[in-house]
């Protein structure tokens, strides 16, 4: 009798890029399956898996027929990123394995259904309207400025800030019927009221409906002249410093029926209200290695995710205390032009004692457009780490004041 255990990982990318390594440490063999959305988003296969499959059109029936030829059994189904949520929930349900309920998958992938689910549960939500033509904005039941976003795209891709009706209608006309980042036609858009306040990320792992917060971050975003909304700073904080945000997030996760696995929630709060912007039933993305997580926290969030499937008895012992503070700084392109000079990491390290690393994301001589969303383009990304928040404050202040000294850009002439 075969005693090996097998896990299927759907779209093991982004924050889930080391799930296979963690599962192997539990003695579990891994099969990677790329979903239809994953195939449209990623042009490579993550290394190290025992086998690979494609799931065309997310056809679970056909997938169930193929699985026995690739692994003798399936004990666990996990997903690594946003693209894998739909297929992961459908497959785990078909196999009778732990996962979130498929009847409410839309709560976790469709941003329109997500806000409606919050409202139905009596949890604070965003006012919104669904549109399929620019003319639909004539009867908007809330005031400008507004946020326009697709129903199911990832991150801040195709998300825009609009100050007036004319700008919103132009963006809607330009975005409808384009392809989103997962290769799907954008047939409808959501128009939402623009929330004001402080924005946070709250990451969590849920087991049998209990939500354990693993880490929290303070977001800093910028509205770009082209309507884009781009993250410029993501800073690790102690979740205990925002108890109201954490409590609200747990209520929102319950309303969205996230009962099992990871969640990445973005929350806005001010003096009177705390409201979920959106939540993805996945690990936090970004290029944070397991080694960096171990420097930052007493436990690693992805390890908690694997434990909730393979070793739930370990979850109560995981504490996720902050050991060092960390900030990711993204430098957007605010003017289209040509990059004529870039400073290197050594130059920046002389000025920033807390610098962990710096990576330019453009090349000298390259023509760049204005940053539009999380995809970029960005001049570069700097990561700062320190046990002292004060030291981090000092270096972040310097970087904000002298950011434009990291590069030289010659603007495009108006005739180009």
């Amino acid at each position: 009798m075969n005693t090996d255990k097998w896990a299927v990982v759907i779209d093991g990318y982004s924050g889930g890029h080391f799930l296979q390594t963690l599962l192997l440490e539990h003695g579990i063999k891994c099969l990677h399956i790329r979903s239809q959305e994953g195939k449209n988003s990623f042009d490579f296969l993550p290394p190290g898996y025992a086998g690979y499959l494609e799931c065309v059109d997310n056809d679970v029936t056909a997938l169930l027929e193929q699985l026995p030829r690739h692994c003798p059994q399936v004990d666990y189904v996990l997903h690594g990123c946003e693209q894998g949520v739909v297929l992961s929930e459908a497959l785990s349900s078909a196999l009778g394995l732990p996962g979130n309920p498929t009847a409410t998958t839309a709560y976790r992938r469709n941003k329109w259904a997500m806000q409606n689910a919050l409202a139905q549960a009596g949890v604070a939500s965003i006012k919104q309207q669904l549109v399929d033509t620019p003319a639909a904005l004539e009867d908007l039941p809330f005031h400008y400025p507004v946020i326009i976003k697709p129903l199911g795209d990832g991150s801040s891709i195709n998300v825009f800030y609009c100050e007036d009706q004319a700008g919103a209608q132009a963006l809607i006309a330009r975005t409808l019927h384009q392809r989103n980042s997962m290769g799907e036609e954008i047939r409808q858009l959501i128009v939402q009221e623009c929330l004001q306040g402080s924005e946070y990320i709250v990451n969590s792992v849920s087991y049998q409906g209990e939500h354990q917060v693993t880490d929290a971050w303070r977001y800093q975003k910028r509205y770009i002249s082209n309507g884009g909304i781009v993250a410029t700073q993501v800073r690790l904080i102690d979740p205990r410093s925002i108890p109201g945000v954490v409590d609200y997030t747990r209520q929102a996760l319950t309303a969205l029926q996230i009962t099992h696995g990871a969640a990445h929630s973005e929350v806005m709060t001010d003096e009177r209200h705390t409201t979920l912007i959106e939540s993805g039933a996945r690990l936090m993305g970004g290029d944070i290695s397991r080694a960096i997580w171990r420097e930052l926290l007493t436990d690693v969030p992805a390890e908690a995710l694997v434990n909730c499937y393979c070793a739930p008895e370990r979850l109560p012992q995981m504490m996720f205390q902050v050991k060092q503070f960390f900030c990711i700084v993204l430098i957007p392109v605010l003017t289209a032009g040509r990059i004529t000079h870039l400073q290197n990491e050594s130059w920046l390290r002389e000025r920033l004692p807390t610098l962990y690393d710096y990576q330019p994301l453009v090349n000298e001589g390259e023509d760049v457009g204005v940053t539009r969303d999380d995809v970029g383009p960005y001049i570069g990304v700097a990561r700062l780490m320190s046990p002292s928040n004060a030291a981090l404050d000092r270096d972040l202040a310097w970087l904000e004041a002298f950011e434009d000294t990291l590069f030289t850009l010659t603007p495009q002439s108006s005739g180009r």
Side-chain angles (χ1 to χ4, degrees), residues 259-282:
T259 61
H260 202 93
H264 171 72
S265 304
E266 298 176 13
V267 180
M268 186 77 78
T269 187
D270 60 20
E271 295 83 1
R272 296 181 299 164
H273 305 291
T274 300
T275 311
L276 183 79
I277 298 172
E278 57 191 62
S279 183
R282 58 170 176 86

Side-chain angles (χ1 to χ4, degrees), residues 39 54 104 114 124 207 225 286 296 314 322 335 346 350 363:
K39 186 175 182 180
E54 304 277 348
T104 57
M114 181 180 297
Y207 177 71
S225 58
L296 301 180
R314 298 183 187 178
V322 175
T335 304
S346 297
E350 290 176 1
N363 299 306

Side-chain angles (χ1 to χ4, degrees), residues 235-251:
R235 181 171 179 172
L236 181 67
I237 62 172
D238 189 333
R240 293 175 298 182
S241 67
I242 49 169
V245 172
V246 168
D247 290 344
Y248 167 87
T249 302
R250 289 195 173 104
Q251 295 175 36

